[in-house]
Amino acid sequence: LVAFVNKTTPPQAVVVTPNVSLQALLDANLNTPPDMERSPVLEKLAPPLFEQRIFYPNHHIPGQIDTIRVLHYDGLELVIYEVGHSNKAFIIYLKVTLPYYETAKGLRIGKTRAEVETILGTPNATKNYTSIYDLSDAGDRLLVTYQENRVMKLEWQFYWD
């Protein structure tokens, strides 16, 4: 089941960003404190251009349906996994395709391969035009895709089960 909500397009001159820094998203703990309705990071997010909701069966709790929210902004796609009716949520995927967003170390669209390797070091693997960096033993990774030796796409993939 997929539901589309907030399917509106702003005027062309307006750029819609999440209103939260890329680093804040990467560092975020999306779990909601008991005294709040939503995570502080999720509370700060601006409304996306559009949002998809995918209802997903929980593999550990029979009968429980979780929600995968895909938030689309200009140059950024954020995928959040929300566990059932609990206050638990976490980012499982984040994609950047425009230079509005930058990590604390200066990684962003448009950097050269040499600049990226100065920031991140040598990639763990390379496939076609994509350098793959392992971020954890759990399977988290960063894919950096190049076009003409410049970063054109950054994709963080976080392990989830």
Side-chain angles (χ1 to χ4, degrees), residues 113 116-117 120-136 139-146 153-157:
R113 186 181 301 266
V116 170
E117 290 188 7
L120 298 175
T122 304
N124 297 92
T126 302
K127 185 175 182 181
N128 298 323
Y129 302 102
T130 301
S131 294
I132 302 166
Y133 292 88
D134 294 332
L135 302 177
S136 75
D140 300 339
R141 60 190 196 163
L142 168 61
L143 283 67
V144 181
T145 303
Y146 297 93
K153 180 170 54 176
L154 298 165
E155 295 174 276
W156 283 265
Q157 299 173 342

Side-chain angles (χ1 to χ4, degrees), residues 5 7-8 22 30 33 37 48 81 86 89 96 101 103 116 151 154:
V5 294
K7 199 170 182 181
T8 59
L22 178 59
L30 299 184
E37 285 189 37
Y81 188 96
S86 73
V96 174
Y101 313 98
T103 68
V116 170
V151 176
L154 298 165

Side-chain angles (χ1 to χ4, degrees), residues 23-40:
Q23 195 63 49
L25 291 171
L26 291 171
D27 295 340
N29 173 354
L30 299 184
N31 292 337
T32 305
D35 59 332
M36 298 181 73
E37 285 189 37
R38 296 185 74 193
S39 152

Side-chain angles (χ1 to χ4, degrees), residues 15-22 24-25 40-48 73 76 101:
V15 174
V16 178
T17 64
N19 201 31
V20 174
S21 75
L22 178 59
L25 291 171
V41 172
L42 293 178
E43 277 296 323
K44 291 179 185 176
L45 287 179
Y73 295 93
L76 186 138
Y101 313 98

